[in-house]
Amino acid sequence: MKYKMTPGLLKQILESHTEYWDDYKHELYRYKSAYATRFWDKKAVGLMSEYVQTSDAYGYIESYIASLFSKNPGVIFKAGLKGRGDTKKAQALANDFLMNQRKEIENASRLALIYPMAFMKLMPNMNEDIYKRISVCSIAPWEVILDRDAKRYEDMRFVGHHYYMSMIDARHKFGNKEYEPIEKEDYFDKFRSEEYERDNDFYEQDFDYYRYIEIVELYDLHTKQMYFWSPNWKMGEKFLLSEEIPFRDPQNNAVIPLVPLYYNRMPDKPIDGYSAMRRIYDQIYETNLIRTFQANGVRKASRQYLVKKGVLDEEQMAQITSGIDGLFVEIDEESLAGVMTALPQNPTPPELQMYYNQVQADKDKGSILAPFTRGESTRSSATEIAALAAYTSSEVGRLARERDSTIELISAAYIHVLAIYMDEDDAKDVIVLDNR
């Protein structure tokens, strides 16, 4: 039995989505800050004079990116059971499209490692070349609305995209309606320090390129309908646009232009995903804390002396503190033993270094990459290195397969979307296959 999507139901879906990601906002901001080497919040510091930030989080994520690097992503098309379509043409078109998507695939990989998952969206552009009229953009997970009751991405009843659209684009797409423009709000705005706050006066200009409306683009896979809704028009009581999903596969199933990228999943709720950064964040925190404590200790380790009162006058003290090589200072004391003595320094406790080593060991356990793959020198034997290399290859291979699965889905979606554009334009063109 089919249900009917209404603006009220869509609003409830959005509220549930917003509430879910609001609970994770502070946690995800900490992951982002650690990766960007902005670990310490400048509003909260003050207990110590100096704060040190290590680049361990950046190195951890980028070691995966380096292992998963693909210079020229590509796919191979094979004939299906029904033998429909021309696999050579489809493969040539898809690979030509993927040649220009390496950066976006890499950006999506970073998002999927730092956060629980990421998405890629196929969007139209104004390119005159019909084969390049579709571009891909990586999307953060909190922008994508999911049916969290589904066990698999393929079984979801609906998928949506929550974003902001400029007034210029809104009028171009939906007509010259009476919108109520708002200021664009970033997901992490509430954590932004004063140093990185944007200039609100710039966004308050009476210029439609910097005035926005909030948009929800929802794909209902049960009724095969797509909806555009905004709370900034008609108080959210009507849809901006409602129409049948135009993109279909050969079996007439609806194709949505949103493709997921999961590198890790929660076993009981695979839709939620799992952040690679989460595995080592506690160790990153402890490392920064230890380094900060050590840095403050080093800065306090200055050479200081105790001097017997009255023995040295101001001129003699100035001569001593000047640091001149070969300097002689005359004093009226028969014995120099009681005149000056060095102020003792408390050494850094050895437990601190031991704890630091333990933290590093815990961090390495949370990484599937062997130390030598990160350029670290080890004393492992050739047999141990071979075993570690095989383990690393198998784990990185699993992640690479997840990435390749996303590339395959992007390629298939591109072919289906391209077919719609070619039918609309009645486009006919010649493409070169095997230099012929």
Side-chain angles (χ1 to χ4, degrees):
M1 179 179 178
K2 292 186 178 181
Y3 59 87
K4 183 178 180 181
M5 181 65 67
T6 63
L9 179 57
L10 194 151
K11 183 178 180 181
Q12 292 179 13
I13 292 173
L14 176 62
E15 289 174 350
S16 177
H17 165 80
T18 303
E19 182 179 354
Y20 176 87
W21 285 106
D22 280 348
D23 292 340
Y24 287 95
K25 187 174 293 186
H26 186 260
E27 178 183 341
L28 298 183
Y29 181 73
R30 288 188 283 123
Y31 299 161
K32 174 186 176 181
S33 300
Y35 173 80
T37 323
R38 290 177 177 171
F39 184 85
W40 297 109
D41 185 356
K42 294 193 175 183
K43 291 183 178 180
V45 300
L47 298 177
M48 297 185 181
S49 59
E50 296 291 337
Y51 284 82
V52 176
Q53 306 178 69
T54 65
S55 59
D56 286 2
Y58 175 84
Y60 175 73
I61 296 298
E62 291 304 314
S63 64
Y64 283 106
I65 297 298
S67 299
L68 296 170
F69 176 75
S70 178
K71 184 178 180 180
N72 291 311
V75 293
I76 297 176
F77 279 73
K78 294 183 178 179
L81 294 176
K82 296 184 179 181
R84 295 177 178 176
D86 190 319
T87 57
K88 287 188 176 181
K89 292 180 181 178
Q91 180 174 314
L93 291 172
N95 288 334
D96 181 69
F97 167 73
L98 290 173
M99 282 179 59
N100 301 316
Q101 311 307 326
R102 180 185 60 80
K103 289 184 178 179
E104 288 303 322
I105 294 172
E106 194 172 302
N107 289 337
S109 288
R110 286 189 179 90
L111 288 172
L113 290 168
I114 298 173
Y115 306 121
M117 66 283 203
F119 294 84
M120 303 190 73
K121 184 178 182 181
L122 282 75
M123 300 184 298
N125 57 53
M126 303 304 293
N127 199 311
E128 294 183 359
D129 186 348
I130 192 170
Y131 302 125
K132 300 184 184 302
R133 199 171 294 175
I134 304 167
S135 55
V136 173
C137 180
S138 56
I139 299 177
W142 51 82
E143 293 185 16
V144 179
I145 301 173
L146 301 176
D147 176 14
R148 298 195 173 276
D149 291 334
K151 290 294 184 182
R152 302 183 306 165
Y153 190 81
E154 296 81 1
D155 298 333
M156 286 192 290
R157 294 165 293 180
F158 56 83
V159 179
H161 184 199
H162 180 213
Y163 58 96
Y164 290 88
M165 180 180 288
S166 71
M167 293 284 287
I168 293 288
D169 294 335
R171 289 195 174 99
H172 176 74
K173 186 174 183 64
F174 306 115
N176 193 18
K177 303 179 185 293
E178 294 183 2
Y179 305 107
E180 298 177 5
I182 60 174
E183 181 183 338
K184 185 176 180 181
E185 181 180 353
D186 187 75
Y187 181 65
F188 294 122
D189 267 357
K190 65 176 293 187
F191 301 107
R192 195 184 298 269
S193 64
E194 295 179 1
E195 181 180 352
Y196 303 108
E197 281 183 355
R198 60 190 176 189
D199 186 359
N200 289 329
D201 293 338
F202 180 74
Y203 284 88
E204 291 173 359
Q205 296 184 63
D206 188 19
F207 186 41
D208 282 349
Y209 269 119
Y210 300 104
R211 301 167 72 200
Y212 297 86
I213 62 172
E214 191 177 356
I215 293 288
V216 174
E217 178 182 332
L218 191 77
Y219 296 86
D220 189 336
L221 300 176
H222 190 63
T223 61
K224 297 183 180 180
Q225 293 286 316
M226 62 184 296
Y227 303 92
F228 289 87
W229 174 86
S230 174
N232 309 122
W233 181 70
K234 296 287 187 182
M235 302 295 291
E237 296 178 356
K238 291 185 178 181
F239 290 121
L240 285 168
L241 180 65
S242 173
E243 61 183 11
E244 188 176 6
I245 298 176
F247 314 123
R248 301 298 176 91
D249 63 12
Q251 288 74 39
N252 200 36
N253 296 317
V255 175
I256 56 176
L258 282 167
V259 179
L261 174 56
Y262 287 83
Y263 279 128
N264 295 283
R265 295 174 174 85
M266 297 297 291
D268 56 335
K269 296 196 71 174
I271 294 298
D272 288 350
Y274 182 75
S275 166
M277 182 72 81
R278 186 176 184 179
R279 289 201 299 264
I280 65 158
Y281 182 80
D282 285 349
Q283 285 71 43
I284 297 295
Y285 181 91
E286 293 299 318
T287 300
N288 285 320
L289 189 63
I290 293 170
R291 287 304 194 196
T292 296
F293 182 82
Q294 290 175 329
N296 281 271
V298 169
R299 282 161 176 76
K300 292 179 180 179
S302 58
R303 291 178 294 175
Q304 298 173 324
Y305 299 91
L306 298 175
V307 182
K308 187 175 180 180
K309 187 176 181 179
V311 175
L312 299 175
D313 56 27
E314 293 183 0
E315 183 181 354
Q316 292 170 327
M317 288 292 293
Q319 290 176 330
I320 293 176
T321 56
S322 65
I324 299 175
D325 185 42
L327 177 69
F328 290 89
V329 179
E330 296 181 354
I331 60 172
D332 297 331
E333 290 289 328
E334 294 182 0
S335 175
L336 300 179
V339 175
M340 184 182 299
T341 182
L343 186 68
Q345 293 284 345
N346 291 325
T348 303
E351 292 82 6
L352 188 64
Q353 185 61 40
M354 293 174 58
Y355 181 57
Y356 174 77
N357 294 336
Q358 290 173 341
V359 169
Q360 292 300 306
D362 291 341
K363 181 172 70 69
D364 292 340
K365 290 177 184 177
S367 173
I368 63 172
L369 299 178
F372 63 85
T373 63
R374 301 189 296 269
E376 298 180 12
S377 177
T378 64
R379 296 184 179 181
S380 302
S381 64
T383 304
E384 291 173 329
I385 290 178
L388 288 171
Y391 169 74
T392 301
S393 298
S394 63
E395 289 296 321
V396 172
R398 182 187 68 81
L399 299 182
R401 185 65 193 93
E402 296 288 348
R403 178 208 59 200
D404 293 343
S405 177
T406 297
I407 294 175
E408 292 167 5
L409 292 173
I410 292 172
S411 302
Y414 168 74
I415 295 298
H416 300 320
V417 174
L418 179 64
I420 297 297
Y421 287 138
M422 296 188 72
D423 289 342
E424 288 180 350
D425 294 355
D426 194 21
K428 294 181 180 180
D429 201 356
V430 177
I431 60 174
V432 178
L433 300 176
D434 300 327
N435 295 325
R436 292 180 292 181

